[in-house]
Amino acid sequence: MAADPVTATTGAEFRELYRRLRRDRPDGALAELTPQRVAAAAREVRSGLRVSLAAPVETAPGPDNPEPAVHRMTGAVAGHLPAEGLDFARDHIAMNVHGDADSHLDALCHVVYDGTLYGGVDADTLTTGGACALSVDLVRDGIVGRGVLLDIPRLRGVPWLEPGEQVGAGELAEAEAAQGVRVGPGDLLFVRVGHRLRRAEHGPWDAAAARAGLHPGAMDFLAERRVAALGSDGNNDTAPSRTEGVAFPVHVLAVHAMGLHLLDYLQFEDLVPHCAREGRWSFLCVVAPLRLPHATGSPVNPIAVL
């Protein structure tokens, strides 16, 4: 299986792609996730097996995680326990939500492009106190729907894609044909590039500078299929960017133009063996962001239910 050609995108081509893909709907692409489609997604459950699509939160610094999460105990620890009576174990957690290591969801206010947010909302709604519009609070009731996993390394016959490799619309279509699944309206699309497996085998690297991801043209596939959300075990964007003047073209097209909530740096290595064994690559998926009313994103632990 040959990969899609790694092509550059000129500024004019990107602007035209952006114009073609732009949608302005109050709920963004989640408008595709109707109650009827949520109910239909529940019928994906057969074995009842639950699998996390998140990686463990990391507290050690690394080349892809210079500002790791901070976890400290604030009570009831060894050496400071009462001899008798009641006490409580307590802890404090702080994290950089939009890093290159921890699994997280991007809210629709996350991408500022040409001075605006999704739907033409003024970027001045981003204040020192938080986002006053399009925050992660839009998904406070969760994102629940039919998840579909497209495994690109499996299609290519390799364990993972190397940093810098891109996935185009053609490969997404070939992957669904090879896996016997079809992405449809309201689906939560997950694209595996093998980032987590490569990281586990070779150790972390500077993923901000080099990582596998989607080609901007792949967003045509998502628009045609009317997906409700997009997730990857990488950042969704390829690095370095090959789009003239735009460092994160997929983020701009997905979040700013199409109103898609993105899920970055998930992990699919636990899910893939179960999908392969059961011979199906679709499942019920439950995504429950934290209730952070003015946040630009949230750590997240999506659960696939087979």
Side-chain angles (χ1 to χ4, degrees), residues 59-81:
T59 56
D64 59 349
N65 198 21
E67 298 179 277
V70 175
H71 179 213
R72 59 184 176 85
M73 298 297 289
T74 60
V77 297
H80 300 278
L81 298 172

Side-chain angles (χ1 to χ4, degrees), residues 82-139:
E84 57 185 45
L86 176 67
D87 202 349
F88 294 97
R90 304 183 303 278
D91 47 7
H92 169 91
I93 297 174
M95 68 184 298
N96 171 22
V97 172
H98 299 287
D100 289 305
D102 294 322
S103 305
H104 64 271
L105 177 140
D106 293 342
L108 296 187
C109 62
H110 177 51
V111 176
V112 182
Y113 185 63
D114 286 346
T116 66
L117 308 179
Y118 168 71
V121 173
D122 197 315
D124 284 346
T125 53
L126 299 172
T127 73
T128 55
C132 298
L134 303 176
S135 77
V136 76
D137 194 54
L138 283 179
V139 287

Side-chain angles (χ1 to χ4, degrees), residues 250-262:
V250 171
H251 273 66
V252 173
L253 295 173
V255 178
H256 197 281
M258 300 170 65
L260 278 167
H261 286 80
L262 291 185

